Amino acid sequence: MIRIPSLAGLFALAALLLGAGPAEAQNRFYLVNGSGQVIQEAYVSPSRISEWGPDILGTGVLPAGNQVWVTPNFTDCVLDVRVRYANGTDDTRMQVNACNISRVVFGGGGGGGGGGGGAVAPGAAIGGGPAYGRASTGNPSFTIVNGTGTTIREIYSSLSTQTDWGSDRLGANTLPPGGRLFIPLPAGGGCNTDIRVIYMNGAASERRNVETCSVQQLTWR
């Protein structure tokens, strides 16, 4: 004998299915300003693309010591996060797995615009050790990836505490779009790095005080 569900049961099942909907994205996190400066702009994008997209703060700012809940409109877990401080300097966290962390911290609770912090595991205290376990070694070496659509002719990188750029890291070579180059830097000399690139058309671009101890790869856009 076949059992036919009651009309009430069918209504209950339909309501359950309609209410289920798609699973909530897991890449949401708190962007924490642990620096001593105001963050004026913030950008979040999937690591797989080369555009930053709009400023997620809009017309607002993120004062020192505050945090904002970030809800990306895409489902990627691996993200790049970039902030710009009131003094005009930028700081980035590249290839952060936002599905495995609850906070991305800039500044680490210290003073200046580019220091410390990183991706913090759920439940970890703000200002604790950055993701990937590299900051504890004080190793600022990293791999730069050309995320632009233009060939890079020259790359200069040195610790922010140094007074000169040093030699061109590419030498006689160039770095095409999508190409990557490992940049060794002295361990124990600090984590903030200055980077300058020059494209084939002679245009130059710089980033100052980029914290590289907590990242293994930095995509240049």
Side-chain angles (χ1 to χ4, degrees):
M1 180 176 180
I2 300 175
R3 174 175 293 184
I4 301 175
S6 67
L7 187 60
L10 290 174
F11 279 133
L13 178 60
L16 179 62
L17 293 175
L18 289 173
E24 183 178 349
Q26 300 298 310
N27 61 355
R28 302 180 177 188
F29 60 93
Y30 281 104
L31 173 62
V32 182
N33 185 357
S35 75
Q37 298 190 50
V38 172
I39 292 177
Q40 289 190 324
E41 301 171 24
Y43 303 88
V44 178
S45 71
S47 294
R48 60 183 170 81
I49 67 174
S50 59
E51 294 81 18
W52 281 109
D55 173 14
I56 64 172
L57 297 178
T59 59
V61 297
L62 186 61
N66 288 14
Q67 61 186 17
V68 63
W69 181 241
V70 179
T71 57
N73 60 359
F74 44 82
T75 59
D76 296 60
C77 284
V78 182
L79 313 177
D80 295 342
V81 187
R82 178 183 181 185
V83 301
R84 175 162 293 173
Y85 297 98
N87 66 358
T89 61
D90 293 343
D91 197 1
T92 56
R93 301 284 181 267
M94 310 301 289
Q95 295 194 323
V96 174
N97 190 332
C99 293
N100 291 338
I101 53 94
S102 61
R103 297 179 179 90
V104 176
V105 183
F106 283 85
V120 183
I126 295 175
Y132 312 118
R134 296 181 70 231
S136 59
T137 67
N139 181 6
S141 301
F142 65 99
T143 296
I144 187 170
V145 180
N146 185 355
T148 74
T150 305
T151 297
I152 295 175
R153 187 181 72 194
E154 303 170 36
I155 298 178
Y156 301 89
S157 182
S158 61
L159 296 177
S160 299
T161 53
Q162 296 178 305
T163 57
D164 59 79
W165 285 108
S167 59
D168 173 18
R169 300 279 180 165
L170 287 171
N173 300 314
T174 60
L175 193 67
R180 59 187 61 214
L181 174 72
F182 177 68
I183 297 182
L185 292 166
C191 290
N192 286 6
T193 304
D194 294 344
I195 307 166
R196 175 180 173 85
V197 306
I198 298 177
Y199 301 98
M200 293 301 292
N201 63 2
S205 180
E206 293 182 11
R207 291 185 197 167
R208 303 275 183 163
N209 292 307
V210 179
E211 194 279 303
T212 56
C213 284
S214 63
V215 298
Q216 294 179 335
Q217 180 173 290
L218 186 153
T219 302
W220 189 270
R221 293 187 169 114

